[in-house]
Amino acid sequence: MGSDREVATMVSNPDSTTEATESALQVAVIGEALVDIVESANGRVEYAGGSPMNVAFGLGRLGDRVSLLTSLGGDERGRTIAAHVADAGVQLVVGSQSAPRTSTATATLDQTGAATYDFQIDWSLPEDARLPDADVIHTGSIAAFLPPGADVVVRLLGEHRSGSIITFDPNVRASLLPDHAQAFAQFEQIARLSHVLKMSDEDAAWLYPGASLDEVLDHILDLGPAVAAITRGGEGALLATAVHRYTAPGVAVEVADTIGAGDSFMSALIHSVIELLEKGLTAAELASGDALPDVELERIGDFCVQCAAITVSRKGANPPWASEVQ
């Protein structure tokens, strides 16, 4: 699930199921998949959810080849999630369906559509878990912080960093985290392994209280990522490299709810990285921090905002297909 307050802009909202041409490059996503139980004045509805799962699903809809290493039960909810990701072409990594039960998160929506969450999470992975070869590896949210699975995530990132682009979205869920100091140390450890890092302004405020968004971006870039992004709800997003900085504007949209908006932004950001790799950008060039011209950073920021806006304009974590975005 995405941040409770994410990027919005004015876009069309067709109900498209058109598949995009699949990329030749591979993305591997590591992280939780769960069932979102949404409670509102209109009743109770269940959706497949979990931030990393939403990112994988969004990437599949944008036409990328995606595998997902997660932890599902063999219950009805686990089978529902497996069918859901398969609908977008996402492949589950072997061992992803061996948990005793499928985790849940109950989202209660207020009158504005903003969500608060109650989690029933068991995040674990086999100690010998392996990833398929991938050009980009993404993780984030609960999976990056909650033991014992988080320890396996860090091991996998370390093993693959030299050959893959690492992307990270902390998507902080404070009620599930240990004390601030421990969570902060875990965040910075993974940030140092990452090439691309996205967070919300709420994440930034929790991790770096009192710091301005520009100060947070500067610090993140100093840790090692080549690209850093901070989403700012309806005000848009900030994107930064060592030499360029761009404020992607947001335009008001009629919000159905905010579930999955940040995950949609993250999918679009990873998709943009895949496009750059397909055009010949190397991982070493991206890691250098000065390979993206300002016009390219602007294009990426506007695209990510557009994808997030489509998601907030309809209920649930329902990211766009490639045919829905310009």
Side-chain angles (χ1 to χ4, degrees):
M1 290 168 295
S3 172
D4 298 345
R5 189 171 67 84
E6 283 289 357
V7 176
T9 190
M10 185 66 71
V11 296
S12 60
N13 181 21
D15 184 16
S16 172
T17 57
T18 303
E19 294 184 5
T21 302
E22 191 174 71
S23 169
L25 302 184
Q26 178 73 39
V27 184
V29 177
I30 319 168
E32 73 273 7
L34 48 83
V35 169
D36 287 335
I37 304 169
V38 182
E39 296 183 346
S40 68
N42 297 322
R44 177 186 175 105
V45 182
E46 294 193 4
Y47 301 97
S51 177
M53 190 283 294
N54 287 341
V55 171
F57 186 75
L59 282 163
R61 283 192 167 184
L62 290 174
D64 296 303
R65 296 175 60 203
V66 192
S67 59
L68 174 64
L69 175 60
T70 189
S71 180
L72 296 175
D75 49 20
E76 182 178 353
R77 284 172 169 161
R79 290 189 292 272
T80 296
I81 292 173
H84 175 72
V85 298
D87 183 62
V90 177
Q91 301 291 319
L92 289 178
V93 176
V94 174
S96 292
Q97 295 173 278
S98 57
R101 61 178 291 275
T102 300
S103 298
T104 61
T106 300
T108 302
L109 304 182
D110 64 19
Q111 293 180 344
T112 69
T116 56
Y117 298 99
D118 176 46
F119 296 93
Q120 299 295 320
I121 302 292
D122 177 16
W123 171 239
S124 60
L125 290 171
E127 286 292 329
D128 60 352
R130 292 290 181 267
L131 285 175
D133 291 337
D135 301 279
V136 178
I137 298 173
H138 172 74
T139 196
S141 196
I142 296 163
F145 295 96
L146 190 65
D151 297 332
V152 179
V153 170
V154 172
R155 173 181 65 78
L156 290 169
L157 296 182
E159 289 175 355
H160 287 269
R161 189 182 190 278
S162 62
S164 304
I165 299 293
I166 306 296
T167 68
F168 178 38
D169 176 6
N171 196 13
V172 172
R173 299 299 179 193
S175 63
L176 290 174
L177 299 185
D179 64 87
H180 186 279
Q182 185 177 344
F184 178 80
Q186 179 81 351
F187 164 78
E188 292 217 330
Q189 180 184 17
I190 297 178
R192 289 187 176 94
L193 294 171
S194 303
H195 300 91
V196 178
L197 190 150
K198 170 260 173 191
M199 65 172 65
S200 70
D201 52 359
E202 294 170 344
D203 295 334
W206 192 85
L207 288 163
Y208 299 99
S212 71
L213 296 185
D214 281 318
E215 288 171 338
V216 173
L217 286 171
D218 290 339
H219 180 70
I220 295 302
L221 293 171
D222 285 343
L223 290 176
V227 181
I230 300 178
T231 57
R232 303 189 302 156
E235 296 178 10
L238 300 175
L239 289 87
T241 67
V243 293
H244 299 298
R245 194 156 299 196
Y246 175 58
T247 300
V251 180
V253 67
E254 185 174 348
V255 176
D257 63 49
T258 62
I259 296 170
D263 304 327
S264 183
F265 187 103
M266 189 72 236
S267 296
L269 185 56
I270 297 170
H271 178 77
S272 298
V273 170
I274 289 289
E275 288 185 326
L276 292 172
L277 295 176
E278 289 176 329
K279 293 176 182 177
L281 181 74
T282 67
E285 288 171 337
L286 179 64
S288 72
D290 60 359
L292 294 182
D294 54 355
V295 67
E296 192 69 31
L297 195 67
E298 292 174 13
R299 184 194 66 79
I300 291 171
D302 292 341
F303 175 71
C304 294
V305 165
Q306 184 183 24
C307 288
I310 290 176
T311 303
V312 302
S313 71
R314 52 204 192 191
K315 291 186 179 297
N318 189 359
W321 296 84
S323 59
E324 294 181 83
V325 287
Q326 299 301 318

